[in-house]
Amino acid sequence: GENVEQHPSTLSVQEGDSAVIKCTYSDSASNYFPWYKQELGKRPQLIIDIRSNVGEKKDQRIAVTLNKTAKHFSLHITETQPEDSAVYFCAASNYNTGNQFYFGTGTSLTVIP
Amino acid sequence: NAGVTQTPKFQVLKTGQSMTLQCAQDMNHEYMSWYRQDPGMGLRLIHYSVGAGITDQGEVPNGYNVSRSTTEDFPLRLLSAAPSQTSVYFCASKPWGLAGDTDTQYFGPGTRLTVL
């Protein structure tokens, strides 16, 4: 099955700086890569996703890049704010089969005011 | 729409007890799934279903049973609880197949289970 690795496990940045979280996957058949944000005690919520036919996607201060050859994808948050502090999870799936989502182990992001 | 709902929010069991975690969604989603979340291990898929009467195992199915008699409900049963099943459990749902620009799953609020 698919194996998703996520780094770093913890990340601290000053408010206004950028944050980058990286994930690698093992199954070349995976073609859908969502990112979830989970605040303490809350449910995971989708913040951005990308399909394998696209190399980059941006939504205001967040962006995701995908390198299919190297099998890695990254989340970029610019101009970080204290409310960006949360745990972020990457995941990989095959939307043709749509059966299983494989999650990374999470990155705890702290934005220091 | 209530979205995905889960009950109970918290539960404490003794080893060997059984219980059912409830999950319901009102979005007419074909796909439903159960995850457990443990510190440092992300979300791991327990069981999933692609429609009423159809279920399959995920990464960590041992000790758990599921059934899907209706589109709306997908209960998770622990037949004989063990301390290793102490975790936070999330139910999720999504449309089957492509859904517009995203294939996102919608998560329920979670159930925090402690097995003593």
Side-chain angles (χ1 to χ4, degrees), chain A residues 7 13 35 46 49 61 65 69 71 80 82 86 88-89 93 99:
Chain A
H7 299 281
V13 299
W35 284 90
L46 180 79
D49 56 5
R61 296 188 296 108
T65 58
T69 304
K71 297 201 195 84
T80 53
Y88 293 81
F89 292 96
S93 175
N99 288 344

Side-chain angles (χ1 to χ4, degrees), chain A residues 57-74:
Chain A
K57 185 176 179 181
K58 190 173 182 180
D59 183 4
Q60 299 182 341
R61 296 188 296 108
I62 61 173
V64 56
T65 58
L66 171 65
N67 183 326
K68 286 191 297 183
T69 304
K71 297 201 195 84
H72 68 71
F73 56 112
S74 300

Side-chain angles (χ1 to χ4, degrees), chain A residues 10-17 19 21 36-43 47 61-62 75 77-89 107-113:
Chain A
T10 60
L11 180 60
S12 291
V13 299
Q14 293 289 332
E15 182 177 358
D17 288 349
I21 303 170
Y36 291 87
K37 176 183 180 182
Q38 186 178 30
E39 296 176 348
L40 189 63
K42 304 289 187 180
R43 72 190 80 186
I47 55 171
R61 296 188 296 108
I62 61 173
L75 177 71
I77 306 174
T78 59
E79 301 173 16
T80 53
Q81 301 168 2
E83 51 265 38
D84 294 329
S85 296
V87 178
Y88 293 81
F89 292 96
T107 296
S108 177
L109 173 65
T110 301
V111 180
I112 304 165

